[in-house]
Amino acid sequence: MTNKLEVMEDKMLEVQFVGDDDVLNHILDREGDSLKNGSATDGGNKVYSFQNRKHSEKMAKLASELAKTPRKNVSFNLKNDPEIMTNIPQCSKGHSTSDMIQLKNNDNSEFLSTAPSGLKKRLIVPRSHSDSESEYSASNSEDDEGAAQEYEEDTNEVTLSQKIQAQNRVVSNPVCKEIPSKKMKRDKTSDLVEEYFEAHSSSKVLTSDRTLQKLRRTKLDQQTLRNLLSKVSPSFSAELKQLNQQYEQLFHKWMLQLHLGFNIVLYGLGSKRDLLEKFRATMLRDSIHVVINGFFPGINVKSILNSITEEVLDHMGTFRSVLDQLDWIINKFKEDSSLQLFLLIHNLDSQMLRGDKSQQIIGQLSSLRNIYLIASIDHINAPLMWDHVKQSLYNWLWYETTTYSPYTEETSYENSLLVKQSGSLPLSSLTHVLRSLTPNARGIFRLLIKYQLDNQDNTSYIGLSFQDFYQQCREAFLVNSDLTLRAQLTEFRDHKLIRTKKGTDGVEYLLIPIDNGTLTDFLEKEEEES
Amino acid sequence: MATSSVSKGCFVFKPNFKKRKTSVPIDEYFNKGKNESEDSKLRFETYQLVWQQMKSETERLQEELNKNLFDSLIEFLQKSHSGFQKNSRDWGYQIKLREIPTAALVLGVNVTDHDLTFRSLTEALQNNVTPYVVSLQARECPDVKHFLQKLVSQLMDCCIDVESKEEENVQIPQKMTHCSVDSLSSWYMNVTQKTDPKMPGKKRTSSSQWQSPPVVLILKDMESFTTKVLQDFIIISSQHLHEFPLILIFGIATSPIIIHRLLPHAVSSLLCIELFQSLSCKEHLTTVLDKLLLTTQFPFKLSEKVLQILINIFLYHDFSIQNFIKGLQLSLLEHFCSQPLSVLCCNLPEAKRRINFLSDNQCENIRRLPSFRRYVEKQAAEKQVALLTNERFLKEETQSLLENLHVYHTNYFLVLRCLHQFTSSLPKCPLGRQIRELYCTCLEKNIWESEEYASALQLLRMLAKDELMTILQKCLNVFRSSEKQLGNTAKRIEGFLAQFQSLDAQANEEEDTSGSQSKGLQKTDLYHLQKALLEMKELRRTSKKPTKFEVLREKVVDFIDSLVREHLQPPETQPLHEALYCSAAHTLRERLNAAPRMALHTALNNPYYYLKNEALKSEEGCIPNVAPDICIAYKLHLECSRLINLVDWSEAFATVVTAAEQMDANSITSEERNEIIHARFIRAVSELQLLGFIKPTKQKTDHVARLTWGGC
């Protein structure tokens, strides 16, 4: 406690994201089972084995544990993180007495404090998802004390807080006894199969319902993300450099083995792009080589083959099929043994190249004596792409190159990113296309956007029927006959801006296949401009 | 960077012509890899030489092993085609004419080796049966159209090969556009009529015995063909069989039943199937091992661990001889790369010559060899000094040691084979049924100290006479095969055999005596019988006079035992073994049998393993909060079930990261810091997505789904 009091003096609030049950668990056997339960021990058995169903607050618990490891406490700045504050207690299943009292407890402190109004609302609103065991919950009792104390410092009502503390202590004790039996039960179900089915028995998802929208930092585009990340100083740079140097010593060996008919595949955590770039710069300066960015969303085998035929072999003709093209290349390389080609493929396991046919074709290329392939893979299941036949085509030698470098380039393309990214690419293409249209056409499209946005909360919305649309356009003096409207729509359809669907009543419905966020952005932008 | 763009994924780099080296000497890479290693050029040449020899040997073996199969196949083809030749009006032949002769070739699951088999089969057929051999793979023929196209174009190629490339070039593209079996058969008529008058004496001496050579179509991977394509093709071509003599060869990896599973009765009745079984891959491996490793022909040897790894990959992963050979090649390369003394890994006279030219550094390398050091320690004091100081003396000694090593190998393999003869047929095979298992045990340790060996000897002491004699006869053959070494061993075995034969006469008498004893027991009551039996037992125990056969058998077993103890010492005991034995087991496993998932898991779970930074050191299963972002995000996501709430995740992440940064982050405002942390979180999450641990899901807003097992 002394530790914590020190912290409090700095006007910091100590917070731990831990569920009630787990806190008690945690207090009871901190060093013991709880650690084993939560974190992977070693080797494969964790990767490949089933695990118990996890509780939603486990992650928070682990976070606090991890945060604690070197120093004993985690501090949070209250003012900057109001969201965290809001997660004060939810009722957990069963409504045990302790929970009730904790709740009351917190209510007290809330009302005492000058908490933001949102907070109160959250507390008052009854939980709709009774199935989830306590949303993102509470802190352990000590934290409550901390919170309470903090508030009380603000309001200078010290006496009450002490009462609460006392209450807390009293109540938390009896609940402890409940835990061991629960744990026993959990341990007993060691049978993997049972565990599996237990985990899949209900479709309910035990996670909290919070969404990113409630956080303010939802949208970051590529540029800001990069800017922000550039401010982060990379840690362990000395060690990383040493690792990289280690790998660079292998370059000569790679060249040797490539020449002897093997192909090289690099695996391990971290982007291997820089390493391969270095390899390219040092070893391949004087030979023909093709660098293929597998992570590029528009890549496909056809384009790889095209760049070989057109740029490497200077062939101007076209081919009827990819297989023909492959045959042609193979013949070319077989005929001319002085021809040598290095293929560097970053992310051979990317979405676009992992298909069976693509792998077959690349494999056949690589099996040629004078084509040398060096590739990198990242996906955990990447080796599943290759059956025995393909593996023997590739004739791999595996090299582990764990670099820990961030996958900056690999994840920079729009589609490889998670929800966070604003749809800047569709947005820009949208503006581009619309700019080339007549004002009337733009008006028509805007009408459709607005209608779609008005209906965004309607889950059964399937689109705007053509007749209604025509009516609206007419009223806005945008078209004079349904033929003109149809002509317009054809243009939109050609640009993939709208999709038409036949409803159950046989009426045509129009829909813009772009997410609503992007559309809103687009409208805002349009309004700014005009 | 020049290789990143938002509009392009392929970047071609062509250095201008003058700069480009016409041919890069490969051995340059061999040299530079190691810092100033000795004789690297010579070593690389030796590598290439040994590898070439080994490779041609394996190819020769392959051919030899396939010979039987091919012979019977060719015979079948000739026989089945003769029906077409006779062109008789016989009704039986008419029926038979409707059936396509088909050879079902069961090749086993080692699909990677099939290519080689088919290649040599094609060659053999082209030499002996017909110039028209076409092989198709399933992936080339998604439908009948492609099937026929491929067939036609390959047939044309055959044709061009036969006729020395005349006007055909013009015809091909036109034919490619629409192919039917009709056009094929007319083409066939054309070709055979055209070539027949020309050909008789010249090129096709072997195949010209028929006026119309059959067309052989090999379907390399019968299982992967679509049923429809196969059925259609068979039905169509059976209609044209009388004018287009087709013979099918199915390559089958699983079992012949697959034919009936793929083809309904109506179709399979159009085929006249005969089954051929290729040699099993395990036997193939045994032969390869026998001819490449268990021989003194090649100086290069594998250490126990390396051999075990290669065999394990073979047995537990793919059954592929090709891969085994690849592993062998790699171990050879590793050996020559990493061991400077591998210059001595060549035939004896050459090695002796090379020893004379060894540099001082290399001499130092010899002295540093553990095996050599052990040897020196055993020598007398003045000899020790001489070995360690006098280069000349060292070289002479090395030569004799190397010679000893070669003699050791010759004896080793003879005795090994001999021991294998004895142990392979024992019940339960305590030392393994295959010679490779025995070899591995012998390489690993002193075999006579193992329990299995003791039990094997025990069993040998109970062998019957005729069994023992056949085994001895086989051993005798083994020893006779090499005249030079262990000559008197062969003589001794002969002696044993002779003694066994002379035993025959005496044996009869002994049987008589035992028979008379048993007669004496008749007609007594139970009590007496019991008593008599007890007496007899007592008598046997006290006297226990072994028969002559037993004495002799004991002698034989002892003899074998002494041979084993003398010659089957593990190679580690031999000085200079490092020069010949590849011991890079670890590297080999990493190169051939890598565990990328393991590596990822270790990197994420225990960053200290890679980044040797004390700050990252932590107890089992826990990572410090200063670990790389992705490790922290990974660790946190392990705590979740199927779905992960991004908000919770990001907050948990922020908690950890803020704690880590607490001390040094006073300079920037906390708002900005939170932004940065959020950005780092985004990066970590998208990296995890790239690695395949999570994927976006629509099941719930702002959730991602876990993809690994733990997330069930």
mmCIF file of all heavy atoms in Angstrom, chain A residues 232-253:
data_model
loop_
_atom_site.group_PDB
_atom_site.id
_atom_site.type_symbol
_atom_site.label_atom_id
_atom_site.label_comp_id
_atom_site.label_asym_id
_atom_site.label_seq_id
_atom_site.Cartn_x
_atom_site.Cartn_y
_atom_site.Cartn_z
ATOM 1 N N VAL A 232 8.092 7.093 -32.739
ATOM 2 C CA VAL A 232 8.473 6.050 -31.795
ATOM 3 C C VAL A 232 9.918 5.660 -32.055
ATOM 4 O O VAL A 232 10.286 5.313 -33.170
ATOM 5 C CB VAL A 232 7.581 4.806 -31.976
ATOM 6 C CG1 VAL A 232 7.898 3.778 -30.922
ATOM 7 C CG2 VAL A 232 6.136 5.190 -31.939
ATOM 8 N N SER A 233 10.693 5.724 -31.048
ATOM 9 C CA SER A 233 12.075 5.286 -31.249
ATOM 10 C C SER A 233 12.112 3.773 -31.118
ATOM 11 O O SER A 233 11.570 3.213 -30.172
ATOM 12 C CB SER A 233 12.971 5.927 -30.204
ATOM 13 O OG SER A 233 12.467 5.617 -28.923
ATOM 14 N N PRO A 234 12.676 3.119 -32.097
ATOM 15 C CA PRO A 234 12.689 1.665 -32.047
ATOM 16 C C PRO A 234 13.524 1.165 -30.874
ATOM 17 O O PRO A 234 14.592 1.702 -30.596
ATOM 18 C CB PRO A 234 13.316 1.273 -33.387
ATOM 19 C CG PRO A 234 14.063 2.468 -33.827
ATOM 20 C CD PRO A 234 13.356 3.656 -33.268
ATOM 21 N N SER A 235 12.993 0.185 -30.211
ATOM 22 C CA SER A 235 13.740 -0.344 -29.080
ATOM 23 C C SER A 235 14.631 -1.491 -29.536
ATOM 24 O O SER A 235 14.428 -2.074 -30.597
ATOM 25 C CB SER A 235 12.767 -0.832 -28.012
ATOM 26 O OG SER A 235 11.729 -1.551 -28.609
ATOM 27 N N PHE A 236 15.611 -1.787 -28.769
ATOM 28 C CA PHE A 236 16.532 -2.897 -29.019
ATOM 29 C C PHE A 236 17.253 -2.787 -30.350
ATOM 30 O O PHE A 236 17.492 -3.783 -31.019
ATOM 31 C CB PHE A 236 15.817 -4.242 -28.966
ATOM 32 C CG PHE A 236 14.988 -4.430 -27.742
ATOM 33 C CD1 PHE A 236 13.615 -4.450 -27.816
ATOM 34 C CD2 PHE A 236 15.594 -4.560 -26.504
ATOM 35 C CE1 PHE A 236 12.848 -4.604 -26.675
ATOM 36 C CE2 PHE A 236 14.832 -4.721 -25.371
ATOM 37 C CZ PHE A 236 13.459 -4.741 -25.441
ATOM 38 N N SER A 237 17.524 -1.570 -30.771
ATOM 39 C CA SER A 237 18.105 -1.462 -32.103
ATOM 40 C C SER A 237 19.461 -2.153 -32.184
ATOM 41 O O SER A 237 19.816 -2.721 -33.226
ATOM 42 C CB SER A 237 18.219 -0.004 -32.512
ATOM 43 O OG SER A 237 18.683 0.751 -31.444
ATOM 44 N N ALA A 238 20.210 -2.137 -31.100
ATOM 45 C CA ALA A 238 21.521 -2.787 -31.137
ATOM 46 C C ALA A 238 21.379 -4.280 -31.382
ATOM 47 O O ALA A 238 22.052 -4.854 -32.242
ATOM 48 C CB ALA A 238 22.251 -2.541 -29.822
ATOM 49 N N GLU A 239 20.455 -4.874 -30.661
ATOM 50 C CA GLU A 239 20.277 -6.321 -30.811
ATOM 51 C C GLU A 239 19.752 -6.662 -32.199
ATOM 52 O O GLU A 239 20.165 -7.646 -32.806
ATOM 53 C CB GLU A 239 19.294 -6.838 -29.756
ATOM 54 C CG GLU A 239 19.827 -6.923 -28.355
ATOM 55 C CD GLU A 239 19.738 -5.606 -27.611
ATOM 56 O OE1 GLU A 239 19.282 -4.609 -28.219
ATOM 57 O OE2 GLU A 239 20.137 -5.564 -26.440
ATOM 58 N N LEU A 240 18.835 -5.811 -32.676
ATOM 59 C CA LEU A 240 18.266 -6.074 -34.003
ATOM 60 C C LEU A 240 19.350 -5.985 -35.063
ATOM 61 O O LEU A 240 19.392 -6.779 -35.998
ATOM 62 C CB LEU A 240 17.150 -5.077 -34.295
ATOM 63 C CG LEU A 240 15.887 -5.282 -33.476
ATOM 64 C CD1 LEU A 240 14.882 -4.197 -33.784
ATOM 65 C CD2 LEU A 240 15.293 -6.640 -33.789
ATOM 66 N N LYS A 241 20.228 -5.020 -34.863
ATOM 67 C CA LYS A 241 21.293 -4.858 -35.836
ATOM 68 C C LYS A 241 22.176 -6.097 -35.848
ATOM 69 O O LYS A 241 22.577 -6.594 -36.898
ATOM 70 C CB LYS A 241 22.109 -3.630 -35.471
ATOM 71 C CG LYS A 241 22.750 -2.989 -36.666
ATOM 72 C CD LYS A 241 23.397 -1.693 -36.271
ATOM 73 C CE LYS A 241 24.544 -1.390 -37.203
ATOM 74 N NZ LYS A 241 25.467 -0.428 -36.629
ATOM 75 N N GLN A 242 22.419 -6.574 -34.653
ATOM 76 C CA GLN A 242 23.261 -7.760 -34.560
ATOM 77 C C GLN A 242 22.610 -8.943 -35.268
ATOM 78 O O GLN A 242 23.267 -9.676 -36.013
ATOM 79 C CB GLN A 242 23.451 -8.086 -33.094
ATOM 80 C CG GLN A 242 24.743 -8.799 -32.816
ATOM 81 C CD GLN A 242 24.866 -9.112 -31.347
ATOM 82 O OE1 GLN A 242 24.187 -8.519 -30.506
ATOM 83 N NE2 GLN A 242 25.725 -10.053 -31.031
ATOM 84 N N LEU A 243 21.303 -9.094 -35.037
ATOM 85 C CA LEU A 243 20.571 -10.167 -35.717
ATOM 86 C C LEU A 243 20.731 -10.033 -37.226
ATOM 87 O O LEU A 243 21.039 -11.001 -37.924
ATOM 88 C CB LEU A 243 19.088 -10.083 -35.373
ATOM 89 C CG LEU A 243 18.558 -10.835 -34.160
ATOM 90 C CD1 LEU A 243 17.061 -10.637 -34.066
ATOM 91 C CD2 LEU A 243 18.867 -12.303 -34.286
ATOM 92 N N ASN A 244 20.517 -8.814 -37.695
ATOM 93 C CA ASN A 244 20.583 -8.615 -39.141
ATOM 94 C C ASN A 244 21.960 -8.912 -39.695
ATOM 95 O O ASN A 244 22.093 -9.483 -40.773
ATOM 96 C CB ASN A 244 20.173 -7.183 -39.481
ATOM 97 C CG ASN A 244 18.690 -7.091 -39.679
ATOM 98 O OD1 ASN A 244 18.100 -7.938 -40.337
ATOM 99 N ND2 ASN A 244 18.066 -6.104 -39.083
ATOM 100 N N GLN A 245 22.970 -8.503 -38.940
ATOM 101 C CA GLN A 245 24.327 -8.787 -39.408
ATOM 102 C C GLN A 245 24.559 -10.289 -39.521
ATOM 103 O O GLN A 245 25.184 -10.777 -40.450
ATOM 104 C CB GLN A 245 25.338 -8.175 -38.460
ATOM 105 C CG GLN A 245 25.587 -6.714 -38.784
ATOM 106 C CD GLN A 245 26.366 -6.030 -37.706
ATOM 107 O OE1 GLN A 245 26.628 -6.599 -36.654
ATOM 108 N NE2 GLN A 245 26.728 -4.791 -37.959
ATOM 109 N N GLN A 246 24.011 -10.982 -38.542
ATOM 110 C CA GLN A 246 24.133 -12.430 -38.566
ATOM 111 C C GLN A 246 23.573 -12.995 -39.870
ATOM 112 O O GLN A 246 24.162 -13.867 -40.487
ATOM 113 C CB GLN A 246 23.310 -12.960 -37.408
ATOM 114 C CG GLN A 246 23.926 -14.066 -36.618
ATOM 115 C CD GLN A 246 23.036 -14.312 -35.410
ATOM 116 O OE1 GLN A 246 22.801 -13.424 -34.583
ATOM 117 N NE2 GLN A 246 22.495 -15.498 -35.333
ATOM 118 N N TYR A 247 22.412 -12.451 -40.253
ATOM 119 C CA TYR A 247 21.786 -12.973 -41.468
ATOM 120 C C TYR A 247 22.548 -12.549 -42.710
ATOM 121 O O TYR A 247 22.598 -13.280 -43.696
ATOM 122 C CB TYR A 247 20.337 -12.499 -41.564
ATOM 123 C CG TYR A 247 19.493 -12.881 -40.375
ATOM 124 C CD1 TYR A 247 18.594 -11.998 -39.818
ATOM 125 C CD2 TYR A 247 19.611 -14.153 -39.817
ATOM 126 C CE1 TYR A 247 17.836 -12.349 -38.722
ATOM 127 C CE2 TYR A 247 18.859 -14.507 -38.722
ATOM 128 C CZ TYR A 247 17.974 -13.607 -38.172
ATOM 129 O OH TYR A 247 17.222 -13.967 -37.087
ATOM 130 N N GLU A 248 23.124 -11.365 -42.631
ATOM 131 C CA GLU A 248 23.819 -10.892 -43.819
ATOM 132 C C GLU A 248 25.042 -11.741 -44.130
ATOM 133 O O GLU A 248 25.484 -11.824 -45.266
ATOM 134 C CB GLU A 248 24.219 -9.429 -43.634
ATOM 135 C CG GLU A 248 23.059 -8.491 -43.908
ATOM 136 C CD GLU A 248 23.259 -7.133 -43.284
ATOM 137 O OE1 GLU A 248 24.422 -6.731 -43.124
ATOM 138 O OE2 GLU A 248 22.245 -6.493 -42.929
ATOM 139 N N GLN A 249 25.571 -12.364 -43.114
ATOM 140 C CA GLN A 249 26.715 -13.243 -43.369
ATOM 141 C C GLN A 249 26.335 -14.453 -44.193
ATOM 142 O O GLN A 249 27.182 -15.147 -44.728
ATOM 143 C CB GLN A 249 27.309 -13.698 -42.043
ATOM 144 C CG GLN A 249 28.175 -12.625 -41.416
ATOM 145 C CD GLN A 249 28.537 -12.944 -39.990
ATOM 146 O OE1 GLN A 249 28.206 -14.017 -39.497
ATOM 147 N NE2 GLN A 249 29.208 -12.017 -39.350
ATOM 148 N N LEU A 250 25.046 -14.713 -44.255
ATOM 149 C CA LEU A 250 24.597 -15.893 -44.999
ATOM 150 C C LEU A 250 24.472 -15.628 -46.494
ATOM 151 O O LEU A 250 24.252 -16.559 -47.269
ATOM 152 C CB LEU A 250 23.244 -16.349 -44.464
ATOM 153 C CG LEU A 250 23.230 -16.889 -43.035
ATOM 154 C CD1 LEU A 250 21.804 -17.047 -42.556
ATOM 155 C CD2 LEU A 250 23.936 -18.218 -42.978
ATOM 156 N N PHE A 251 24.594 -14.379 -46.897
ATOM 157 C CA PHE A 251 24.322 -14.042 -48.293
ATOM 158 C C PHE A 251 25.118 -14.899 -49.269
ATOM 159 O O PHE A 251 24.586 -15.397 -50.265
ATOM 160 C CB PHE A 251 24.637 -12.572 -48.548
ATOM 161 C CG PHE A 251 23.592 -11.634 -48.008
ATOM 162 C CD1 PHE A 251 23.770 -10.269 -48.064
ATOM 163 C CD2 PHE A 251 22.424 -12.126 -47.456
ATOM 164 C CE1 PHE A 251 22.807 -9.408 -47.560
ATOM 165 C CE2 PHE A 251 21.454 -11.267 -46.948
ATOM 166 C CZ PHE A 251 21.655 -9.909 -47.002
ATOM 167 N N HIS A 252 26.380 -15.084 -48.967
ATOM 168 C CA HIS A 252 27.214 -15.865 -49.878
ATOM 169 C C HIS A 252 26.748 -17.304 -49.954
ATOM 170 O O HIS A 252 26.719 -17.903 -51.019
ATOM 171 C CB HIS A 252 28.662 -15.810 -49.430
ATOM 172 C CG HIS A 252 29.355 -14.574 -49.893
ATOM 173 N ND1 HIS A 252 29.833 -14.438 -51.171
ATOM 174 C CD2 HIS A 252 29.624 -13.417 -49.255
ATOM 175 C CE1 HIS A 252 30.362 -13.243 -51.302
ATOM 176 N NE2 HIS A 252 30.253 -12.600 -50.162
ATOM 177 N N LYS A 253 26.381 -17.797 -48.805
ATOM 178 C CA LYS A 253 25.899 -19.174 -48.782
ATOM 179 C C LYS A 253 24.623 -19.297 -49.611
ATOM 180 O O LYS A 253 24.429 -20.270 -50.335
ATOM 181 C CB LYS A 253 25.631 -19.572 -47.344
ATOM 182 C CG LYS A 253 25.654 -21.053 -47.146
ATOM 183 C CD LYS A 253 25.797 -21.379 -45.691
ATOM 184 C CE LYS A 253 26.152 -22.820 -45.517
ATOM 185 N NZ LYS A 253 26.298 -23.170 -44.113
#
